[in-house]
Amino acid sequence: MRVEFYMVEPMLVWHYAPIIQALLSMGVDASFVSCRSNENVVGEIYNAELGESLIRHTGLPVSFHINPDADMAVCYAEIAILGQYRKKRARIMYGCGI
């Protein structure tokens, strides 16, 4: 199973990281997706350099392009942001503690 956590704000690294770690420990292929402004649906609002720097600090996997065939795509913003994904899309608010 492939699960992608689509980045629209750098602060989401700290919210998604524990979830990605838990999924990886269960054998799920999970990672951040950090698209640059020309490919990111929110454009320049997302600071990819900062986001990727924070992701590197976690040591967790990151992709730089979406996989439209991922089994699930996750984002905290409106679900329409995940329109390029063909399978399940989920909206999660700030982290697993809420």
Side-chain angles (χ1 to χ4, degrees), residues 14-42:
W14 308 120
H15 299 286
Y16 291 163
I19 301 168
I20 293 172
Q21 287 173 329
L23 290 171
L24 290 169
S25 73
M26 292 184 278
V28 175
D29 179 15
S31 76
F32 293 98
V33 174
S34 179
C35 297
R36 294 292 172 149
S37 63
N38 61 335
E39 295 178 28
N40 195 304
V41 296
V42 297

Side-chain angles (χ1 to χ4, degrees), residues 6 12 24-25 43 52-53 55-56 65 70 73 79 81-82 89 91 93 96 98:
Y6 193 85
L12 293 172
L24 290 169
S25 73
E52 291 163 17
S53 173
I55 292 167
R56 278 192 299 278
H65 305 283
I79 210 76
I81 285 176
L82 302 174
R89 295 173 287 221
R91 181 178 185 208
M93 296 310 285
C96 55
I98 295 178

